[in-house]
Amino acid sequence: KLQASGGGLVQAGGSLRLSCAASGRTFSSYRMGWFRQPPGKEREFVAVISASGAFTDYANSVKGRFTISRDNAKNTLYLQMDNLKPEDTAVYYCAQGSGPSASVTMKYWGKGTLVTVSS
């Protein structure tokens, strides 16, 4: 089970930190990722982190502004979002893969959390 939280309304230039609590599987064995679905658009990749946390990858649109991290002792995934822009407005989903590498292919999905960035 994956449960995302931390969404909300923020002004452009502000920051938010999303969290995703995982249960039911050995969290430290699997890659994790964040995806988002802007209003009226398809779901898109945001960031991924390997099982150990040693490798990460980001969408070009968020590089340098967002940071993905994980705490394997707490079974929790994070997404620190800084310098937010109105185009970051979306429902954000956390997801879990079936292997350890930092691939964008995911197997399990949580319910999303809404992030709204006002201009």
Side-chain angles (χ1 to χ4, degrees), residues 1-101:
K1 180 179 179 181
L2 302 172
Q3 182 64 54
S5 62
L9 175 63
V10 63
Q11 288 189 331
S15 298
L16 277 177
R17 187 174 84 153
L18 304 183
S19 299
C20 175
S23 62
R25 302 176 84 201
T26 305
F27 181 76
S28 60
S29 296
Y30 304 103
R31 62 178 167 270
M32 298 293 296
W34 289 99
F35 293 74
R36 67 187 182 186
Q37 187 167 16
K41 297 185 179 180
E42 297 290 317
R43 187 167 60 191
E44 62 187 25
F45 166 73
V46 174
V48 64
I49 188 167
S50 63
S52 67
F55 299 99
T56 59
D57 194 17
Y58 296 89
N60 288 334
S61 58
V62 307
K63 276 182 182 177
R65 300 188 298 120
F66 290 12
T67 303
I68 188 171
S69 63
R70 63 191 296 160
D71 186 335
N72 285 346
K74 295 183 178 180
N75 291 354
T76 304
L77 174 73
Y78 303 100
L79 184 68
Q80 178 65 42
M81 305 186 294
D82 297 319
N83 190 20
L84 282 160
K85 304 176 180 181
E87 52 264 41
D88 294 318
T89 294
V91 176
Y92 284 72
Y93 298 89
C94 62
Q96 186 177 61
S98 56
S101 64

